[in-house]
């Protein structure tokens, strides 16, 4: 059974940085997609970034929403089964609850929009960007 837990949220000033962590315990499959999403009050869930494993014919791939491209970076530490989301140049509009999700399927670029294809979700971590 795969279990996902996020951490690293908090209060940060505009222009600041945070690094979120997502531990995907029980992930033993060679094939996976792990994504970061967020949801602000009154808004729909938004896919931010995701990483899909290699399918054997291509390398692992990372994807970013336009709203965070150039500011957020996703990475994975295989030894720790942890995916990180480094968030720089944070803006007040980045304020939201951030969620990590995982699936043992390879979603490729659809990983940003096919939120319902993820089977495992974390409880969320609050990120507040305010002066």
């Amino acid at each position: 059974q795969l279990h996902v837990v996020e951490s690293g949220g908090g209060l940060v000033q505009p222009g600041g940085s945070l690094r979120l962590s997502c531990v995907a315990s029980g992930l033993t499959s060679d094939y996976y997609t792990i994504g970061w999403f967020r949801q602000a009050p009154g808004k729909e869930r938004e896919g931010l970034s995701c990483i899909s494993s290699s399918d054997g014919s291509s390398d692992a791939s990372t994807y970013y929403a336009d709203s965070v491209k150039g500011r957020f970076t996703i990475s994975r530490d295989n030894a720790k089964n942890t995916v990180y989301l480094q968030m720089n140049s944070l803006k007040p509009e980045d304020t939201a609850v951030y969620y990590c999700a995982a699936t043992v399927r390879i979603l490729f670029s659809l990983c940003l929009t096919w939120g319902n294809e993820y089977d495992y979700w974390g409880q969320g971590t609050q990120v507040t960007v305010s002066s």
Side-chain angles (χ1 to χ4, degrees), residues 8-12 18 20 125-129:
L11 173 64
V12 63
L18 279 176
L20 304 183
T125 185
Q126 176 70 45
V127 171
T128 302
V129 185

Side-chain angles (χ1 to χ4, degrees), residues 29-59:
S29 173
D30 289 335
Y31 305 111
Y32 63 86
T33 299
I34 297 177
W36 283 100
F37 296 78
R38 69 185 177 191
Q39 188 163 22
K43 294 188 177 182
E44 292 188 354
R45 184 179 63 197
E46 178 186 12
L48 304 176
S49 181
C50 42
I51 181 167
S52 278
S53 67
S54 167
D55 65 351
S57 62
S58 62
D59 295 333

Side-chain angles (χ1 to χ4, degrees), residues 55-56 93 110 115 120:
D55 65 351
E93 50 263 43
L110 296 173
Y120 306 94

Side-chain angles (χ1 to χ4, degrees), residues 6-7 15-16 23 37 46 49-50 53 55 59-60 65-66 74 79 81 86 90-91 93 101 112 120 123 131:
E6 314 95 334
S7 62
V23 178
F37 296 78
E46 178 186 12
S49 181
C50 42
S53 67
D55 65 351
D59 295 333
D66 288 342
I74 193 170
N81 259 0
Q86 177 66 43
L90 284 164
K91 307 173 183 179
E93 50 263 43
L112 288 175
Y120 306 94
Q123 79 288 350
S131 56

